PDB file of all heavy atoms in Angstrom:
ATOM      1  N   SER M  19       2.626  -0.814 -15.391  1.00  0.00           N
ATOM      2  CA  SER M  19       3.196  -0.282 -16.636  1.00  0.00           C
ATOM      3  C   SER M  19       3.761   1.130 -16.481  1.00  0.00           C
ATOM      4  O   SER M  19       4.621   1.531 -17.261  1.00  0.00           O
ATOM      5  CB  SER M  19       2.154  -0.310 -17.753  1.00  0.00           C
ATOM      6  OG  SER M  19       1.070   0.548 -17.442  1.00  0.00           O
ATOM      7  N   THR M  20       3.308   1.887 -15.498  1.00  0.00           N
ATOM      8  CA  THR M  20       3.809   3.250 -15.320  1.00  0.00           C
ATOM      9  C   THR M  20       4.952   3.320 -14.301  1.00  0.00           C
ATOM     10  O   THR M  20       5.500   4.391 -14.070  1.00  0.00           O
ATOM     11  CB  THR M  20       2.669   4.183 -14.851  1.00  0.00           C
ATOM     12  OG1 THR M  20       2.161   3.698 -13.606  1.00  0.00           O
ATOM     13  CG2 THR M  20       1.550   4.241 -15.884  1.00  0.00           C
ATOM     14  N   ILE M  21       5.294   2.186 -13.716  1.00  0.00           N
ATOM     15  CA  ILE M  21       6.353   2.146 -12.710  1.00  0.00           C
ATOM     16  C   ILE M  21       7.685   1.863 -13.401  1.00  0.00           C
ATOM     17  O   ILE M  21       7.784   0.970 -14.235  1.00  0.00           O
ATOM     18  CB  ILE M  21       6.076   1.038 -11.654  1.00  0.00           C
ATOM     19  CG1 ILE M  21       4.678   1.212 -11.035  1.00  0.00           C
ATOM     20  CG2 ILE M  21       7.151   1.010 -10.582  1.00  0.00           C
ATOM     21  CD1 ILE M  21       4.470   2.534 -10.350  1.00  0.00           C
ATOM     22  N   GLU M  22       8.705   2.631 -13.051  1.00  0.00           N
ATOM     23  CA  GLU M  22      10.028   2.427 -13.639  1.00  0.00           C
ATOM     24  C   GLU M  22      10.581   1.069 -13.236  1.00  0.00           C
ATOM     25  O   GLU M  22      10.264   0.542 -12.168  1.00  0.00           O
ATOM     26  CB  GLU M  22      10.989   3.521 -13.164  1.00  0.00           C
ATOM     27  CG  GLU M  22      10.667   4.892 -13.721  1.00  0.00           C
ATOM     28  CD  GLU M  22      11.684   5.928 -13.265  1.00  0.00           C
ATOM     29  OE1 GLU M  22      12.834   5.554 -12.930  1.00  0.00           O
ATOM     30  OE2 GLU M  22      11.321   7.116 -13.246  1.00  0.00           O
ATOM     31  N   ARG M  23      11.429   0.514 -14.084  1.00  0.00           N
ATOM     32  CA  ARG M  23      12.090  -0.753 -13.768  1.00  0.00           C
ATOM     33  C   ARG M  23      12.949  -0.591 -12.524  1.00  0.00           C
ATOM     34  O   ARG M  23      13.484   0.464 -12.257  1.00  0.00           O
ATOM     35  CB  ARG M  23      12.986  -1.195 -14.924  1.00  0.00           C
ATOM     36  CG  ARG M  23      12.235  -1.543 -16.153  1.00  0.00           C
ATOM     37  CD  ARG M  23      13.189  -1.979 -17.228  1.00  0.00           C
ATOM     38  NE  ARG M  23      12.541  -1.887 -18.515  1.00  0.00           N
ATOM     39  CZ  ARG M  23      13.151  -2.041 -19.649  1.00  0.00           C
ATOM     40  NH1 ARG M  23      14.438  -2.285 -19.684  1.00  0.00           N
ATOM     41  NH2 ARG M  23      12.493  -1.955 -20.779  1.00  0.00           N
ATOM     42  N   GLY M  24      13.042  -1.674 -11.760  1.00  0.00           N
ATOM     43  CA  GLY M  24      13.884  -1.665 -10.575  1.00  0.00           C
ATOM     44  C   GLY M  24      13.117  -2.059  -9.330  1.00  0.00           C
ATOM     45  O   GLY M  24      11.982  -2.519  -9.395  1.00  0.00           O
ATOM     46  N   PHE M  25      13.763  -1.850  -8.169  1.00  0.00           N
ATOM     47  CA  PHE M  25      13.159  -2.201  -6.885  1.00  0.00           C
ATOM     48  C   PHE M  25      12.217  -1.098  -6.414  1.00  0.00           C
ATOM     49  O   PHE M  25      12.529   0.086  -6.522  1.00  0.00           O
ATOM     50  CB  PHE M  25      14.238  -2.436  -5.829  1.00  0.00           C
ATOM     51  CG  PHE M  25      15.002  -3.703  -6.045  1.00  0.00           C
ATOM     52  CD1 PHE M  25      16.241  -3.689  -6.663  1.00  0.00           C
ATOM     53  CD2 PHE M  25      14.467  -4.917  -5.646  1.00  0.00           C
ATOM     54  CE1 PHE M  25      16.937  -4.872  -6.873  1.00  0.00           C
ATOM     55  CE2 PHE M  25      15.151  -6.098  -5.850  1.00  0.00           C
ATOM     56  CZ  PHE M  25      16.397  -6.070  -6.465  1.00  0.00           C
ATOM     57  N   HIS M  26      11.070  -1.503  -5.881  1.00  0.00           N
ATOM     58  CA  HIS M  26      10.064  -0.583  -5.365  1.00  0.00           C
ATOM     59  C   HIS M  26       9.395  -1.228  -4.151  1.00  0.00           C
ATOM     60  O   HIS M  26       9.595  -2.409  -3.868  1.00  0.00           O
ATOM     61  CB  HIS M  26       8.996  -0.280  -6.421  1.00  0.00           C
ATOM     62  CG  HIS M  26       9.550   0.405  -7.624  1.00  0.00           C
ATOM     63  ND1 HIS M  26       9.730   1.763  -7.688  1.00  0.00           N
ATOM     64  CD2 HIS M  26       9.976  -0.087  -8.810  1.00  0.00           C
ATOM     65  CE1 HIS M  26      10.246   2.081  -8.859  1.00  0.00           C
ATOM     66  NE2 HIS M  26      10.408   0.972  -9.557  1.00  0.00           N
ATOM     67  N   THR M  27       8.560  -0.463  -3.482  1.00  0.00           N
ATOM     68  CA  THR M  27       7.751  -0.996  -2.396  1.00  0.00           C
ATOM     69  C   THR M  27       6.289  -0.663  -2.698  1.00  0.00           C
ATOM     70  O   THR M  27       5.957   0.486  -2.987  1.00  0.00           O
ATOM     71  CB  THR M  27       8.153  -0.402  -1.039  1.00  0.00           C
ATOM     72  OG1 THR M  27       9.547  -0.662  -0.819  1.00  0.00           O
ATOM     73  CG2 THR M  27       7.349  -1.024   0.090  1.00  0.00           C
ATOM     74  N   LEU M  28       5.439  -1.687  -2.628  1.00  0.00           N
ATOM     75  CA  LEU M  28       3.999  -1.531  -2.792  1.00  0.00           C
ATOM     76  C   LEU M  28       3.385  -1.387  -1.404  1.00  0.00           C
ATOM     77  O   LEU M  28       3.673  -2.186  -0.511  1.00  0.00           O
ATOM     78  CB  LEU M  28       3.405  -2.758  -3.492  1.00  0.00           C
ATOM     79  CG  LEU M  28       1.885  -2.891  -3.482  1.00  0.00           C
ATOM     80  CD1 LEU M  28       1.240  -1.779  -4.296  1.00  0.00           C
ATOM     81  CD2 LEU M  28       1.474  -4.267  -4.000  1.00  0.00           C
ATOM     82  N   TYR M  29       2.560  -0.370  -1.220  1.00  0.00           N
ATOM     83  CA  TYR M  29       1.876  -0.128   0.050  1.00  0.00           C
ATOM     84  C   TYR M  29       0.368  -0.202  -0.174  1.00  0.00           C
ATOM     85  O   TYR M  29      -0.137   0.311  -1.174  1.00  0.00           O
ATOM     86  CB  TYR M  29       2.220   1.256   0.608  1.00  0.00           C
ATOM     87  CG  TYR M  29       3.673   1.436   0.949  1.00  0.00           C
ATOM     88  CD1 TYR M  29       4.562   1.964   0.013  1.00  0.00           C
ATOM     89  CD2 TYR M  29       4.151   1.095   2.201  1.00  0.00           C
ATOM     90  CE1 TYR M  29       5.901   2.140   0.323  1.00  0.00           C
ATOM     91  CE2 TYR M  29       5.494   1.272   2.526  1.00  0.00           C
ATOM     92  CZ  TYR M  29       6.357   1.794   1.582  1.00  0.00           C
ATOM     93  OH  TYR M  29       7.680   1.963   1.890  1.00  0.00           O
ATOM     94  N   ILE M  30      -0.353  -0.799   0.763  1.00  0.00           N
ATOM     95  CA  ILE M  30      -1.814  -0.893   0.697  1.00  0.00           C
ATOM     96  C   ILE M  30      -2.385  -0.595   2.077  1.00  0.00           C
ATOM     97  O   ILE M  30      -1.840  -1.032   3.091  1.00  0.00           O
ATOM     98  CB  ILE M  30      -2.266  -2.299   0.246  1.00  0.00           C
ATOM     99  CG1 ILE M  30      -1.762  -2.589  -1.155  1.00  0.00           C
ATOM    100  CG2 ILE M  30      -3.777  -2.426   0.303  1.00  0.00           C
ATOM    101  CD1 ILE M  30      -2.112  -3.967  -1.672  1.00  0.00           C
ATOM    102  N   ARG M  31      -3.489   0.151   2.081  1.00  0.00           N
ATOM    103  CA  ARG M  31      -4.187   0.414   3.345  1.00  0.00           C
ATOM    104  C   ARG M  31      -5.690   0.454   3.076  1.00  0.00           C
ATOM    105  O   ARG M  31      -6.128   0.655   1.948  1.00  0.00           O
ATOM    106  CB  ARG M  31      -3.705   1.703   3.990  1.00  0.00           C
ATOM    107  CG  ARG M  31      -3.943   2.940   3.178  1.00  0.00           C
ATOM    108  CD  ARG M  31      -3.394   4.170   3.894  1.00  0.00           C
ATOM    109  NE  ARG M  31      -3.260   5.278   2.963  1.00  0.00           N
ATOM    110  CZ  ARG M  31      -2.226   6.090   2.901  1.00  0.00           C
ATOM    111  NH1 ARG M  31      -1.206   5.937   3.728  1.00  0.00           N
ATOM    112  NH2 ARG M  31      -2.187   7.076   2.037  1.00  0.00           N
ATOM    113  N   THR M  32      -6.454   0.247   4.145  1.00  0.00           N
ATOM    114  CA  THR M  32      -7.915   0.228   4.027  1.00  0.00           C
ATOM    115  C   THR M  32      -8.528   1.207   5.022  1.00  0.00           C
ATOM    116  O   THR M  32      -7.918   1.558   6.028  1.00  0.00           O
ATOM    117  CB  THR M  32      -8.478  -1.181   4.311  1.00  0.00           C
ATOM    118  OG1 THR M  32      -8.179  -1.538   5.660  1.00  0.00           O
ATOM    119  CG2 THR M  32      -7.902  -2.204   3.362  1.00  0.00           C
ATOM    120  N   LEU M  33      -9.754   1.594   4.699  1.00  0.00           N
ATOM    121  CA  LEU M  33     -10.544   2.446   5.574  1.00  0.00           C
ATOM    122  C   LEU M  33     -11.827   1.686   5.884  1.00  0.00           C
ATOM    123  O   LEU M  33     -12.496   1.201   4.962  1.00  0.00           O
ATOM    124  CB  LEU M  33     -10.866   3.766   4.868  1.00  0.00           C
ATOM    125  CG  LEU M  33     -11.696   4.793   5.627  1.00  0.00           C
ATOM    126  CD1 LEU M  33     -10.916   5.338   6.835  1.00  0.00           C
ATOM    127  CD2 LEU M  33     -12.097   5.929   4.695  1.00  0.00           C
ATOM    128  N   ASN M  34     -12.163   1.542   7.170  1.00  0.00           N
ATOM    129  CA  ASN M  34     -13.374   0.777   7.509  1.00  0.00           C
ATOM    130  C   ASN M  34     -14.589   1.695   7.601  1.00  0.00           C
ATOM    131  O   ASN M  34     -14.483   2.921   7.456  1.00  0.00           O
ATOM    132  CB  ASN M  34     -13.180  -0.037   8.786  1.00  0.00           C
ATOM    133  CG  ASN M  34     -13.066   0.811  10.038  1.00  0.00           C
ATOM    134  OD1 ASN M  34     -13.393   1.995  10.059  1.00  0.00           O
ATOM    135  ND2 ASN M  34     -12.586   0.198  11.106  1.00  0.00           N
ATOM    136  N   LYS M  35     -15.739   1.089   7.852  1.00  0.00           N
ATOM    137  CA  LYS M  35     -16.996   1.848   7.886  1.00  0.00           C
ATOM    138  C   LYS M  35     -17.061   2.834   9.050  1.00  0.00           C
ATOM    139  O   LYS M  35     -17.918   3.716   9.066  1.00  0.00           O
ATOM    140  CB  LYS M  35     -18.189   0.891   7.933  1.00  0.00           C
ATOM    141  CG  LYS M  35     -18.303   0.076   9.205  1.00  0.00           C
ATOM    142  CD  LYS M  35     -19.497  -0.841   9.138  1.00  0.00           C
ATOM    143  CE  LYS M  35     -19.619  -1.664  10.399  1.00  0.00           C
ATOM    144  NZ  LYS M  35     -20.789  -2.536  10.343  1.00  0.00           N
ATOM    145  N   TYR M  36     -16.157   2.713  10.010  1.00  0.00           N
ATOM    146  CA  TYR M  36     -16.116   3.626  11.152  1.00  0.00           C
ATOM    147  C   TYR M  36     -15.143   4.790  10.929  1.00  0.00           C
ATOM    148  O   TYR M  36     -14.902   5.581  11.835  1.00  0.00           O
ATOM    149  CB  TYR M  36     -15.723   2.875  12.427  1.00  0.00           C
ATOM    150  CG  TYR M  36     -16.630   1.707  12.716  1.00  0.00           C
ATOM    151  CD1 TYR M  36     -16.166   0.402  12.586  1.00  0.00           C
ATOM    152  CD2 TYR M  36     -17.955   1.899  13.092  1.00  0.00           C
ATOM    153  CE1 TYR M  36     -16.996  -0.678  12.837  1.00  0.00           C
ATOM    154  CE2 TYR M  36     -18.789   0.824  13.337  1.00  0.00           C
ATOM    155  CZ  TYR M  36     -18.309  -0.459  13.205  1.00  0.00           C
ATOM    156  OH  TYR M  36     -19.122  -1.532  13.444  1.00  0.00           O
ATOM    157  N   GLY M  37     -14.554   4.857   9.732  1.00  0.00           N
ATOM    158  CA  GLY M  37     -13.610   5.927   9.419  1.00  0.00           C
ATOM    159  C   GLY M  37     -12.218   5.697   9.966  1.00  0.00           C
ATOM    160  O   GLY M  37     -11.420   6.628  10.051  1.00  0.00           O
ATOM    161  N   GLN M  38     -11.884   4.441  10.315  1.00  0.00           N
ATOM    162  CA  GLN M  38     -10.558   4.122  10.861  1.00  0.00           C
ATOM    163  C   GLN M  38      -9.687   3.499   9.770  1.00  0.00           C
ATOM    164  O   GLN M  38     -10.104   2.577   9.082  1.00  0.00           O
ATOM    165  CB  GLN M  38     -10.702   3.139  12.023  1.00  0.00           C
ATOM    166  CG  GLN M  38     -11.530   3.687  13.159  1.00  0.00           C
ATOM    167  CD  GLN M  38     -11.928   2.594  14.147  1.00  0.00           C
ATOM    168  OE1 GLN M  38     -12.216   1.468  13.765  1.00  0.00           O
ATOM    169  NE2 GLN M  38     -11.954   2.950  15.421  1.00  0.00           N
ATOM    170  N   TRP M  39      -8.474   4.001   9.676  1.00  0.00           N
ATOM    171  CA  TRP M  39      -7.517   3.460   8.708  1.00  0.00           C
ATOM    172  C   TRP M  39      -6.785   2.254   9.297  1.00  0.00           C
ATOM    173  O   TRP M  39      -6.462   2.232  10.479  1.00  0.00           O
ATOM    174  CB  TRP M  39      -6.487   4.519   8.309  1.00  0.00           C
ATOM    175  CG  TRP M  39      -7.047   5.550   7.383  1.00  0.00           C
ATOM    176  CD1 TRP M  39      -7.544   6.774   7.725  1.00  0.00           C
ATOM    177  CD2 TRP M  39      -7.184   5.436   5.972  1.00  0.00           C
ATOM    178  NE1 TRP M  39      -7.975   7.423   6.609  1.00  0.00           N
ATOM    179  CE2 TRP M  39      -7.769   6.635   5.517  1.00  0.00           C
ATOM    180  CE3 TRP M  39      -6.875   4.445   5.045  1.00  0.00           C
ATOM    181  CZ2 TRP M  39      -8.042   6.862   4.171  1.00  0.00           C
ATOM    182  CZ3 TRP M  39      -7.147   4.664   3.706  1.00  0.00           C
ATOM    183  CH2 TRP M  39      -7.724   5.863   3.280  1.00  0.00           C
ATOM    184  N   SER M  40      -6.511   1.279   8.464  1.00  0.00           N
ATOM    185  CA  SER M  40      -5.716   0.120   8.879  1.00  0.00           C
ATOM    186  C   SER M  40      -4.248   0.505   8.949  1.00  0.00           C
ATOM    187  O   SER M  40      -3.862   1.598   8.531  1.00  0.00           O
ATOM    188  CB  SER M  40      -5.878  -1.012   7.849  1.00  0.00           C
ATOM    189  OG  SER M  40      -5.246  -0.639   6.628  1.00  0.00           O
ATOM    190  N   SER M  41      -3.431  -0.411   9.456  1.00  0.00           N
ATOM    191  CA  SER M  41      -1.991  -0.255   9.333  1.00  0.00           C
ATOM    192  C   SER M  41      -1.654  -0.376   7.850  1.00  0.00           C
ATOM    193  O   SER M  41      -2.360  -1.028   7.092  1.00  0.00           O
ATOM    194  CB  SER M  41      -1.265  -1.361  10.092  1.00  0.00           C
ATOM    195  OG  SER M  41      -1.584  -1.297  11.453  1.00  0.00           O
ATOM    196  N   VAL M  42      -0.578   0.244   7.449  1.00  0.00           N
ATOM    197  CA  VAL M  42      -0.161   0.149   6.053  1.00  0.00           C
ATOM    198  C   VAL M  42       0.621  -1.142   5.871  1.00  0.00           C
ATOM    199  O   VAL M  42       1.568  -1.410   6.602  1.00  0.00           O
ATOM    200  CB  VAL M  42       0.709   1.357   5.651  1.00  0.00           C
ATOM    201  CG1 VAL M  42       1.188   1.227   4.221  1.00  0.00           C
ATOM    202  CG2 VAL M  42      -0.058   2.655   5.838  1.00  0.00           C
ATOM    203  N   MET M  43       0.166  -1.953   4.924  1.00  0.00           N
ATOM    204  CA  MET M  43       0.872  -3.189   4.578  1.00  0.00           C
ATOM    205  C   MET M  43       1.849  -2.854   3.464  1.00  0.00           C
ATOM    206  O   MET M  43       1.503  -2.119   2.536  1.00  0.00           O
ATOM    207  CB  MET M  43      -0.110  -4.253   4.086  1.00  0.00           C
ATOM    208  CG  MET M  43      -1.177  -4.622   5.096  1.00  0.00           C
ATOM    209  SD  MET M  43      -0.535  -5.555   6.482  1.00  0.00           S
ATOM    210  CE  MET M  43       0.005  -7.027   5.666  1.00  0.00           C
ATOM    211  N   SER M  44       3.049  -3.396   3.525  1.00  0.00           N
ATOM    212  CA  SER M  44       4.027  -3.117   2.480  1.00  0.00           C
ATOM    213  C   SER M  44       4.681  -4.413   2.008  1.00  0.00           C
ATOM    214  O   SER M  44       4.838  -5.354   2.784  1.00  0.00           O
ATOM    215  CB  SER M  44       5.086  -2.145   2.990  1.00  0.00           C
ATOM    216  OG  SER M  44       5.843  -2.734   4.025  1.00  0.00           O
ATOM    217  N   ARG M  45       5.027  -4.433   0.743  1.00  0.00           N
ATOM    218  CA  ARG M  45       5.719  -5.562   0.149  1.00  0.00           C
ATOM    219  C   ARG M  45       6.727  -5.028  -0.863  1.00  0.00           C
ATOM    220  O   ARG M  45       6.364  -4.223  -1.730  1.00  0.00           O
ATOM    221  CB  ARG M  45       4.765  -6.503  -0.592  1.00  0.00           C
ATOM    222  CG  ARG M  45       3.787  -7.238   0.286  1.00  0.00           C
ATOM    223  CD  ARG M  45       4.509  -8.250   1.184  1.00  0.00           C
ATOM    224  NE  ARG M  45       3.604  -9.060   1.943  1.00  0.00           N
ATOM    225  CZ  ARG M  45       3.141  -8.778   3.147  1.00  0.00           C
ATOM    226  NH1 ARG M  45       3.475  -7.676   3.746  1.00  0.00           N
ATOM    227  NH2 ARG M  45       2.326  -9.600   3.772  1.00  0.00           N
ATOM    228  N   PRO M  46       7.975  -5.459  -0.759  1.00  0.00           N
ATOM    229  CA  PRO M  46       8.952  -5.053  -1.778  1.00  0.00           C
ATOM    230  C   PRO M  46       8.648  -5.782  -3.081  1.00  0.00           C
ATOM    231  O   PRO M  46       8.087  -6.876  -3.080  1.00  0.00           O
ATOM    232  CB  PRO M  46      10.289  -5.515  -1.179  1.00  0.00           C
ATOM    233  CG  PRO M  46       9.922  -6.634  -0.268  1.00  0.00           C
ATOM    234  CD  PRO M  46       8.547  -6.341   0.251  1.00  0.00           C
ATOM    235  N   LEU M  47       8.999  -5.161  -4.193  1.00  0.00           N
ATOM    236  CA  LEU M  47       8.833  -5.824  -5.475  1.00  0.00           C
ATOM    237  C   LEU M  47       9.887  -5.302  -6.441  1.00  0.00           C
ATOM    238  O   LEU M  47      10.494  -4.268  -6.237  1.00  0.00           O
ATOM    239  CB  LEU M  47       7.428  -5.625  -6.048  1.00  0.00           C
ATOM    240  CG  LEU M  47       6.984  -4.217  -6.377  1.00  0.00           C
ATOM    241  CD1 LEU M  47       7.075  -3.977  -7.867  1.00  0.00           C
ATOM    242  CD2 LEU M  47       5.551  -4.042  -5.935  1.00  0.00           C
TER     243      LEU M  47
END
């Protein structure tokens, strides 16, 4: 609801119990 209309990219990343970040996953929307 706070995102303006139009094309955007959603990015998601995780942090594991060892303090390591995952690769960033992206999906256009």
